[in-house]
């Protein structure tokens, strides 16, 4: 049983954990910092995993949140392959899977989420993958090299980004989804059906309003059986049906939880225990811009909150003040989404939807902008669109009268 003490203890191995160390070092050059990550990788960013890494355009080292030399230069200790198993906030102590214990002055919980693993018969067959980690990405990349046909279960972010990888690798792909259109959790039928048509034009097939009844095969998956009875041949399956938040550490310590949104924190990402902070997917934070408590499952949220939590751990006492920002790349198209993904209805698209060059605006009942999406084949066009959407959101601008020129579309 090893015991030690550290000023700042960070639990997690994703973007939030790495950026918290950056935030701490902005204000405190000397205080001891330890990051403890469950996986054996250096803390990494997830966006490349379901995009370039699948195509061999990036390796795990390219996904590292900071170059490993940064930790050494900045005197940050990173323990990898070690899991935090219990937290005692009264004793300010965390116990780990390697039987060690660390005392802390300030703690960050950035434990993220775990992919749902639905109890579908045959889900344990070889060739059926969940998708969250660098190891998952490498396994699917390897499978894509010899796969003939693939099925994606779920048309969310994972399903569509990995389906894109299948199309680009020349693997026939069918996407099975219980709702009516892709990304139905966050976008309107206009954008959802645009994505569906775009993928269909590249050869992908969809089974919407459908559920999987089981996976079949002799040791390895060879087909997917739908509830309707249809059987689809597949030697590769990726299940992307959402995540559950990793709240156990906080729950075991008695920290307040939100039933849907994770571990409750205030505007400054601080729990009811003033020495414990939360950032990333698992943070149920009071959003100063949206005006309610929620959690966001996206890389930029993790990155930005991690940095802010780190600064606040070092005494900054600043609100987390970012306007939500999601992005995705699929096939040869790029997307940004900015604003409140839970407020407002689509008022239609500006630009050319068929050409994949458009902005779709969502308005609140009073006509102000709630959220906007931009799509383009030219990634460079999207940064100014995201910035414009942020500006309009902060100004509480009305959507009526906004034109292509406002967003720099031709
Ligand atoms: P998701 O929530 O984006 O999508 C899940 C999809 O699965 C939904 O369309 C849902 O209707 C469908 N679904 C639910 N139950 C199902 C079932 N039994 N059978 C078939 N479909 C079912 O989640 P995801 O795609 O699994 O992504 C996992 C996490 O990774 C999310 O937090 C996501 O936001 C994140 N992610 C984000 C990005 C990005 O922002 N670009 C990219 C990849 C992953």
């Amino acid at each position: 049983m090893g015991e030690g003490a550290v000023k700042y203890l960070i639990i997690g191995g994703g973007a939030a954990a790495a950026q918290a160390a950056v935030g701490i070092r902005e204000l405190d050059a000397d205080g001891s910092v330890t990051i403890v990550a469950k996986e054996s990788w250096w803390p990494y960013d997830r966006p490349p995993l379901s995009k370039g890494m699948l195509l061999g355009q990036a390796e795990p080292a390219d996904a590292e949140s900071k170059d490993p030399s940064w930790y050494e230069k900045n005197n940050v200790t990173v323990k990898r392959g070690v899991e935090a198993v219990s937290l005692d906030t009264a004793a300010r102590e965390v116990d780990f899977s390697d039987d060690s214990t660390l005392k802390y002055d300030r703690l960050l919980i950035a434990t993220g989420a775990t992919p749902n693993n639905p109890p579908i018969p045959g889900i344990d067959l070889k060739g059926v993958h969940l998708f969250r980690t660098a190891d998952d990405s490498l396994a699917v990349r390897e499978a894509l090299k010899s796969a003939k046909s693939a099925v994606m279960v779920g048309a969310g972010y994972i399903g569509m980004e990995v389906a894109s990888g299948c199309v680009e690798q020349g693997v026939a792909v069918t996407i099975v989804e219980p709702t009516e259109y892709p990304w139905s959790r966050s976008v309107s039928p206009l954008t959802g059906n645009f994505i569906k048509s775009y993928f269909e034009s590249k050869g992908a097939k969809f089974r919407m309003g459908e559920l999987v009844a089981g996976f079949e095969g002799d040791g390895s998956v060879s087909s997917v059986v739908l509830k309707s009875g249809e059987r689809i041949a597949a030697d590769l399956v990726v299940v992307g049906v959402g995540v559950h938040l990793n709240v156990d550490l906080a729950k075991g310590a008695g920290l307040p939880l939100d039933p849907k949104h994770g571990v409750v924190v205030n505007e400054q990402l601080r729990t009811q225990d003033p020495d414990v902070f939360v950032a990333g997917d698992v943070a149920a934070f009071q959003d100063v811009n949206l005006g309610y408590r929620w959690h966001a499952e996206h890389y930029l949220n993790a990155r930005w909150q991690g940095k802010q939590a780190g600064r606040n751990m070092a005494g900054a006492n600043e609100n987390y003040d970012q306007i939500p920002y999601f992005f995705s790349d699929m096939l040869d198209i790029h997307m940004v989404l900015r604003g409140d993904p839970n407020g407002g209805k689509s008022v239609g698209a500006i630009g050319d939807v068929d050409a994949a060059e458009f902005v779709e605006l969502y308005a609140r009942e009073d006509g102000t902008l709630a959220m906007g999406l931009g799509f383009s084949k030219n990634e460079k066009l999207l940064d100014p669109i995201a910035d414009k959407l942020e500006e309009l959101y902060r100004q509480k601008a009305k959507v009526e009268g906004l034109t292509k020129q406002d967003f720099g579309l031709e």
Side-chain angles (χ1 to χ4, degrees), residues 242-303:
V243 295
H244 52 277
L245 304 172
N246 296 332
V247 296
D248 285 355
L249 193 67
K251 189 176 175 184
L255 291 168
L257 303 182
D258 178 293
K260 265 174 64 187
H261 295 290
V263 188
V264 174
V265 288
N266 66 12
E267 297 83 347
Q268 300 185 355
L269 308 172
R270 196 186 286 258
T271 65
Q272 71 168 27
D273 179 324
D275 296 325
V276 180
F277 296 74
V278 186
D281 289 11
V282 72
F285 68 105
Q286 187 61 38
D287 191 317
V288 291
N289 294 304
L290 275 48
Y292 56 86
R293 184 167 75 203
W294 71 305
H295 81 285
E297 296 171 9
H298 187 75
Y299 162 68
L300 287 175
N301 177 71
R303 184 182 167 88

Side-chain angles (χ1 to χ4, degrees), residues 153-154 156-158 161 177-179 185 211 240-243 297-298 327:
V153 184
Y157 280 110
I158 287 294
E161 289 183 4
E177 160 68 42
T179 69
R185 195 156 76 107
L211 281 166
V241 298
V243 295
E297 296 171 9
H298 187 75
F327 63 82

Side-chain angles (χ1 to χ4, degrees), residues 150-170:
V151 165
M152 302 294 112
V153 184
Y157 280 110
I158 287 294
M160 298 317 299
E161 289 183 4
V162 181
S164 167
C166 293
V167 171
E168 293 190 308
Q169 293 291 87

Side-chain angles (χ1 to χ4, degrees), residues 48 51-59 62 137 141 144-145 169:
K51 305 178 182 81
M53 244 173 83
L54 284 182
L55 305 177
Q57 295 163 351
E59 296 301 322
D62 300 313
S137 176
R141 169 160 105 183
L144 274 171
K145 289 180 185 159
Q169 293 291 87

